[in-house]
Amino acid sequence: MKTSAASAKSLSPASASTAESEAALDALDPRGLRINPDWAKLPLFDRKGWQRVRFGDVVRSLKEQVDPNSGEVERYVAGEHMESEKVHIRRWGIIGDGYLGPAFIRRFRKGQVLYGSRRTYLKKVAVAEWDGVTANTTLVLEALEDKLLQSLLPWLMLSERFTKHSIQESKGSTNPYIN
């Protein structure tokens, strides 16, 4: 959205009253939606102290293995069970209810994030609500405690910037994947 120099100047707290600033905000958004000016005062949105970090510096990829037939886990999650842009797992398979391929060796635990590494443009990111097993093509991820909140991880991974980067880093043309 473009703003004129006059509009931008009128939003400056030094040169405008609160009423004038609110009127300028109303004029900038024809839908009548307004930005809460109190939010701008919150330290959370002050990016001055923020620093850019590598994903691998704040998140670890877990590769714990489990034999699905050992009785340690009851459910499995395959790629088709994860829905695009839905963080809740609404479908799963029960171990023993049919053939489960040899790739299903990756253990996940409640609270960890599952990420479909094939065709990352599908944005298959889910939070495990129980322990289980998944295929080795699904990444099991966990935020480093002192670096990133685990509850923010799935939302970060669903962002457009993250998806764009994962697509750029993908290898292969028919079934692109990331490592």
Side-chain angles (χ1 to χ4, degrees):
M1 179 180 296
K2 293 183 179 179
T3 61
S4 68
S7 302
K9 186 177 179 185
S10 70
L11 291 177
S12 168
S15 64
S17 70
T18 303
E20 289 171 328
S21 295
E22 290 178 8
L25 286 172
D26 288 339
L28 292 175
D29 191 343
R31 298 169 295 175
L33 299 175
R34 293 186 24 215
I35 298 168
N36 183 336
D38 294 329
W39 288 359
K41 298 174 189 170
L42 292 173
L44 178 69
F45 293 101
D46 179 9
R47 293 184 175 187
K48 290 177 190 163
W50 290 13
Q51 64 180 5
R52 190 174 293 248
V53 296
R54 294 177 51 91
F55 188 72
D57 292 341
V58 296
V59 175
R60 78 173 134 249
S61 179
L62 304 167
K63 297 185 178 184
E64 183 182 355
Q65 293 187 8
V66 64
D67 176 2
N69 298 315
S70 69
E72 294 179 53
V73 292
E74 297 175 7
R75 301 184 219 181
Y76 69 90
V77 174
E80 63 268 15
H81 295 138
M82 296 171 60
E83 297 179 64
S84 294
E85 300 186 62
K86 307 274 191 218
V87 297
H88 296 288
I89 302 170
R90 293 186 175 97
R91 298 179 300 128
W92 57 84
I94 302 295
I95 294 175
D97 282 355
Y99 177 71
L100 189 62
F104 283 82
I105 57 167
R106 186 79 24 97
R107 178 194 294 269
F108 62 85
R109 298 184 187 276
K110 182 178 180 175
Q112 294 174 333
V113 173
L114 306 181
Y115 182 62
S117 69
R118 304 285 183 196
R119 297 183 303 278
T120 59
Y121 57 85
L122 293 175
K123 295 180 161 186
K124 291 190 174 192
V125 178
V127 178
E129 297 177 22
W130 28 260
D131 296 357
V133 66
T134 191
N136 58 6
T137 56
T138 299
L139 301 179
V140 178
L141 304 168
E142 193 170 73
L144 297 177
E145 266 184 54
D146 58 336
K147 305 282 184 182
L148 179 69
L149 293 173
Q150 181 72 15
S151 59
L152 291 180
L153 180 57
W155 307 110
L156 171 72
M157 295 177 70
L158 285 171
S159 71
E160 290 301 318
R161 180 177 265 179
F162 185 90
T163 301
K164 181 179 177 183
H165 181 75
S166 70
I167 292 168
Q168 288 173 341
E169 295 297 313
S170 293
K171 299 168 180 67
S173 57
T174 306
N175 191 14
Y177 65 96
I178 59 166
N179 289 332

